[in-house]
Amino acid sequence: GPKVLQIPSHQIIDMGQMVTLNCDPVSNHLYFYWYKQILGQQMEFLVNFYNGKVMEKSKLFKDQFSVERPDGSYFTLKIQPTALEDSAVYFCASSLLGGNYAEQFFGPGTRLTVL
Amino acid sequence: GQQVQQSPASLVLQEGENAELQCNFSSTATRLQWFYQHPGGRLVSLFYNPSGTKHTGRLTSTTVTNERRSSLHISSSQTTDSGTYFCAPSSNTNKVVFGTGTRLQVLP
């Protein structure tokens, strides 16, 4: 089936540094999402993005977070500056259509460790 | 918002046994997906199944939409099936809403 790729699979950085997580979505998809899973906890929605804009974000999407997809390349999640509580696995997803029927295709995740 | 209850919370099987994982939810789901998460964290999509029955390999998903429930059946379990299984029924939202998961351990 369609595949979403995430680069890197693991990232370790020092608190206060900037980090960019990269997502290569399914090629013809138009809607993009980030989810966050703290170790041992439930997966939670962060943000969705369409047509160059954030459509919806949750309380977890702090001011230090930003997303973009410049020129149809990677869909990125940038955290600047990072904090200890940002340590988690971040999952990217994409869908062809938006709305509450659309199947979302998930990447394998990037494990972020903030020291 | 959607309330999701997965049962059992955890399950231990001997290799070769079958497993039945249940998902009950509070609102009719317009989208329902099942996911498998490796012990190391990697996420794999199993089914998109808002209604009816779907099969892939040893896995079968059955969703009864008007009863707000879905099940995942694993036949002839293998040690590599160990991990956490998430049901994600969503309604009236762009977000995928995940349940708390069933942690499966298959012993050799």
Coordinates of all heavy atoms in Angstrom, one line a residue, chain B residues 8-49:
Chain B
P8 N -9.1 -7.0 25.7 CA -8.5 -6.7 27.0 C -7.4 -5.7 26.9 O -6.9 -5.4 25.9 CB -7.9 -8.1 27.4 CG -7.6 -8.7 26.1 CD -8.6 -8.3 25.2
A9 N -7.0 -5.2 28.1 CA -5.9 -4.2 28.1 C -4.6 -4.9 27.7 O -3.7 -4.3 27.1 CB -5.8 -3.5 29.4
S10 N -4.5 -6.2 28.2 CA -3.3 -6.9 27.8 C -3.7 -8.4 27.7 O -4.7 -8.8 28.3 CB -2.2 -6.8 28.9 OG -2.6 -7.2 30.1
L11 N -2.9 -9.1 27.0 CA -3.2 -10.5 26.7 C -1.9 -11.3 26.4 O -1.0 -10.8 25.7 CB -4.0 -10.5 25.4 CG -4.6 -11.8 24.8 CD1 -5.5 -12.5 25.8 CD2 -5.3 -11.6 23.5
V12 N -1.8 -12.5 27.0 CA -0.7 -13.3 26.8 C -1.2 -14.6 26.2 O -2.1 -15.3 26.7 CB 0.1 -13.6 28.2 CG1 1.3 -14.5 27.9 CG2 0.5 -12.3 28.8
L13 N -0.5 -15.0 25.1 CA -0.9 -16.2 24.4 C 0.3 -17.1 24.2 O 1.4 -16.7 24.2 CB -1.5 -15.9 23.0 CG -2.7 -15.0 22.9 CD1 -3.0 -14.7 21.4 CD2 -3.9 -15.7 23.5
Q14 N 0.0 -18.4 24.0 CA 1.0 -19.3 23.5 C 0.9 -19.3 22.0 O -0.2 -19.1 21.4 CB 0.7 -20.8 24.0 CG 1.0 -21.0 25.5 CD 2.4 -20.8 25.9 OE1 2.8 -20.2 26.8 NE2 3.3 -21.4 25.1
E15 N 2.1 -19.4 21.4 CA 2.1 -19.4 20.0 C 1.2 -20.4 19.4 O 1.1 -21.6 19.9 CB 3.6 -19.7 19.5 CG 3.9 -19.4 18.1 CD 5.4 -19.4 17.8 OE1 6.1 -20.2 18.4 OE2 5.8 -18.7 16.9
G16 N 0.4 -20.0 18.4 CA -0.5 -20.9 17.7 C -2.0 -20.7 18.2 O -2.9 -21.0 17.5
E17 N -2.1 -20.0 19.3 CA -3.5 -19.7 19.8 C -4.0 -18.5 19.0 O -3.3 -17.7 18.4 CB -3.4 -19.4 21.3 CG -3.1 -20.6 22.2 CD -3.2 -20.2 23.7 OE1 -2.8 -19.1 24.1 OE2 -3.7 -21.1 24.5
N18 N -5.4 -18.4 19.1 CA -6.0 -17.3 18.4 C -6.3 -16.2 19.4 O -6.4 -16.4 20.6 CB -7.4 -17.7 17.8 CG -7.2 -18.8 16.8 OD1 -6.2 -18.9 16.1 ND2 -8.2 -19.7 16.6
A19 N -6.5 -15.0 18.9 CA -6.8 -13.8 19.8 C -7.9 -13.0 19.2 O -8.1 -12.9 18.0 CB -5.5 -12.9 19.9
E20 N -8.7 -12.5 20.1 CA -9.9 -11.7 19.7 C -9.7 -10.4 20.5 O -9.9 -10.4 21.7 CB -11.2 -12.3 20.0 CG -12.4 -11.6 19.5 CD -12.8 -12.0 18.1 OE1 -12.2 -12.9 17.5 OE2 -13.7 -11.3 17.5
L21 N -9.5 -9.3 19.8 CA -9.4 -8.0 20.4 C -10.6 -7.1 20.2 O -11.1 -7.1 19.0 CB -8.1 -7.2 19.9 CG -6.8 -7.6 20.4 CD1 -6.5 -9.1 20.3 CD2 -5.7 -6.8 19.7
Q22 N -11.1 -6.5 21.2 CA -12.4 -5.8 21.1 C -12.2 -4.3 21.2 O -11.3 -3.8 21.9 CB -13.4 -6.2 22.2 CG -13.7 -7.7 22.2 CD -14.5 -8.1 21.0 OE1 -15.1 -7.3 20.3 NE2 -14.5 -9.5 20.8
C23 N -13.0 -3.6 20.5 CA -13.0 -2.1 20.5 C -14.4 -1.6 20.6 O -15.2 -1.9 19.7 CB -12.3 -1.6 19.3 SG -12.3 0.2 19.1
N24 N -14.8 -0.9 21.6 CA -16.1 -0.3 21.7 C -16.0 1.2 21.8 O -15.0 1.7 22.5 CB -16.8 -0.8 23.0 CG -17.2 -2.3 22.9 OD1 -18.2 -2.7 22.3 ND2 -16.3 -3.1 23.4
F25 N -16.9 1.9 21.2 CA -16.8 3.4 21.2 C -18.1 4.0 21.3 O -19.2 3.4 21.1 CB -16.0 3.8 19.9 CG -16.4 3.1 18.7 CD1 -17.3 3.5 17.8 CD2 -15.7 1.9 18.4 CE1 -17.6 2.8 16.7 CE2 -16.0 1.2 17.2 CZ -17.0 1.6 16.4
S26 N -18.1 5.3 21.7 CA -19.3 6.0 22.1 C -20.1 6.6 21.0 O -21.3 6.8 21.1 CB -18.9 7.1 23.2 OG -18.0 8.0 22.6
S27 N -19.4 7.0 19.9 CA -20.1 7.6 18.8 C -19.9 6.9 17.5 O -18.8 6.3 17.3 CB -19.6 9.1 18.6 OG -19.6 9.8 19.8
T28 N -20.9 6.9 16.7 CA -20.8 6.2 15.4 C -19.6 6.7 14.7 O -19.3 7.9 14.5 CB -22.0 6.4 14.5 OG1 -23.2 5.9 15.2 CG2 -21.9 5.7 13.2
A29 N -18.8 5.7 14.2 CA -17.5 6.1 13.6 C -17.7 6.2 12.1 O -18.2 5.3 11.4 CB -16.4 5.1 13.9
T30 N -17.2 7.3 11.5 CA -17.2 7.4 10.1 C -15.9 6.9 9.5 O -15.7 6.6 8.3 CB -17.4 8.9 9.7 OG1 -16.4 9.7 10.4 CG2 -18.8 9.4 10.0
R31 N -14.9 6.8 10.4 CA -13.6 6.3 10.0 C -13.1 5.4 11.1 O -13.2 5.8 12.3 CB -12.6 7.4 9.8 CG -11.1 7.0 9.7 CD -10.1 8.1 9.5 NE -10.3 9.1 10.5 CZ -10.3 10.5 10.2 NH1 -10.1 10.9 9.0 NH2 -10.4 11.3 11.2
L32 N -12.7 4.2 10.8 CA -12.1 3.3 11.8 C -10.9 2.6 11.3 O -11.0 2.0 10.2 CB -13.2 2.3 12.3 CG -12.8 1.5 13.5 CD1 -13.9 1.3 14.4 CD2 -12.1 0.2 13.1
Q33 N -9.8 2.8 12.0 CA -8.6 2.2 11.5 C -8.0 1.3 12.7 O -8.2 1.7 13.8 CB -7.5 3.2 11.1 CG -8.0 4.0 9.9 CD -7.0 5.1 9.4 OE1 -7.2 6.2 9.4 NE2 -5.8 4.6 8.9
W34 N -7.4 0.2 12.3 CA -6.6 -0.6 13.3 C -5.1 -0.5 13.0 O -4.7 -0.5 11.8 CB -7.0 -2.1 13.2 CG -8.3 -2.4 13.9 CD1 -9.5 -2.5 13.4 CD2 -8.4 -2.8 15.3 NE1 -10.4 -2.9 14.3 CE2 -9.8 -3.1 15.5 CE3 -7.5 -3.0 16.3 CZ2 -10.3 -3.5 16.7 CZ3 -8.0 -3.4 17.6 CH2 -9.4 -3.6 17.8
F35 N -4.4 -0.3 14.0 CA -2.9 -0.2 13.9 C -2.2 -1.2 14.8 O -2.7 -1.6 15.9 CB -2.4 1.2 14.3 CG -3.0 2.3 13.5 CD1 -4.2 3.0 13.8 CD2 -2.3 2.8 12.4 CE1 -4.7 4.0 13.1 CE2 -2.8 3.8 11.6 CZ -4.0 4.4 12.0
Y36 N -1.0 -1.6 14.4 CA -0.1 -2.4 15.2 C 1.1 -1.6 15.5 O 1.7 -1.0 14.6 CB 0.2 -3.7 14.5 CG 1.4 -4.4 15.0 CD1 1.4 -5.0 16.3 CD2 2.6 -4.5 14.3 CE1 2.5 -5.7 16.8 CE2 3.7 -5.1 14.8 CZ 3.6 -5.7 16.1 OH 4.7 -6.4 16.6
Q37 N 1.5 -1.6 16.7 CA 2.8 -0.9 17.1 C 3.8 -1.9 17.6 O 3.5 -2.6 18.6 CB 2.5 0.2 18.1 CG 3.7 1.1 18.4 CD 3.4 2.3 19.2 OE1 2.6 2.3 20.1 NE2 4.1 3.4 18.8
H38 N 4.9 -1.9 16.9 CA 6.0 -2.8 17.3 C 6.5 -2.4 18.7 O 6.3 -1.2 19.1 CB 7.2 -2.6 16.4 CG 7.0 -3.3 15.1 ND1 7.5 -4.5 14.8 CD2 6.4 -2.8 13.9 CE1 7.2 -4.8 13.5 NE2 6.6 -3.8 13.0
P39 N 7.0 -3.4 19.5 CA 7.6 -3.0 20.8 C 8.6 -1.9 20.8 O 8.7 -1.1 21.7 CB 8.2 -4.3 21.2 CG 7.5 -5.4 20.5 CD 7.1 -4.8 19.2
G40 N 9.2 -1.7 19.7 CA 10.2 -0.6 19.6 C 9.6 0.8 19.2 O 10.2 1.8 19.2
G41 N 8.3 0.8 18.9 CA 7.5 2.0 18.6 C 7.0 2.2 17.2 O 6.2 3.0 16.9
R42 N 7.6 1.4 16.3 CA 7.2 1.6 14.9 C 5.7 1.3 14.7 O 5.2 0.3 15.2 CB 8.0 0.7 14.0 CG 7.9 0.8 12.5 CD 9.0 0.1 11.8 NE 8.7 0.1 10.4 CZ 8.1 -0.9 9.8 NH1 7.6 -2.0 10.5 NH2 7.8 -0.9 8.5
L43 N 5.0 2.1 13.9 CA 3.5 2.0 13.7 C 3.3 1.4 12.3 O 3.8 1.8 11.3 CB 2.9 3.3 13.9 CG 1.4 3.3 14.0 CD1 1.0 2.8 15.4 CD2 0.9 4.8 13.9
V44 N 2.3 0.4 12.3 CA 1.9 -0.2 11.0 C 0.4 -0.1 10.9 O -0.3 -0.5 11.9 CB 2.4 -1.7 11.0 CG1 1.9 -2.4 9.7 CG2 3.9 -1.8 11.1
S45 N -0.1 0.3 9.8 CA -1.5 0.3 9.6 C -2.0 -1.1 9.2 O -1.4 -1.7 8.4 CB -1.9 1.3 8.4 OG -1.6 2.6 8.8
L46 N -3.0 -1.5 9.8 CA -3.6 -2.9 9.6 C -4.8 -2.8 8.7 O -4.9 -3.5 7.7 CB -3.9 -3.6 10.9 CG -2.7 -3.9 11.8 CD1 -3.2 -4.5 13.1 CD2 -1.7 -4.7 11.1
F47 N -5.8 -2.1 9.1 CA -7.1 -2.0 8.4 C -7.6 -0.6 8.4 O -7.5 0.1 9.4 CB -8.1 -2.9 9.0 CG -7.8 -4.4 8.9 CD1 -7.3 -5.1 10.0 CD2 -8.1 -5.0 7.7 CE1 -7.1 -6.5 9.9 CE2 -7.8 -6.4 7.6 CZ -7.3 -7.1 8.7
Y48 N -8.3 -0.3 7.4 CA -9.3 0.8 7.3 C -10.6 0.2 7.2 O -10.9 -0.4 6.1 CB -9.0 1.8 6.2 CG -10.1 2.8 6.0 CD1 -10.1 4.0 6.8 CD2 -11.0 2.7 5.0 CE1 -11.1 4.9 6.6 CE2 -12.0 3.7 4.8 CZ -12.0 4.8 5.7 OH -13.0 5.7 5.5
N49 N -11.4 0.2 8.2 CA -12.6 -0.6 8.2 C -13.8 0.0 9.0 O -14.1 -0.5 10.1 CB -12.3 -2.0 8.8 CG -13.4 -3.0 8.6 OD1 -14.3 -2.8 7.7 ND2 -13.5 -4.0 9.4

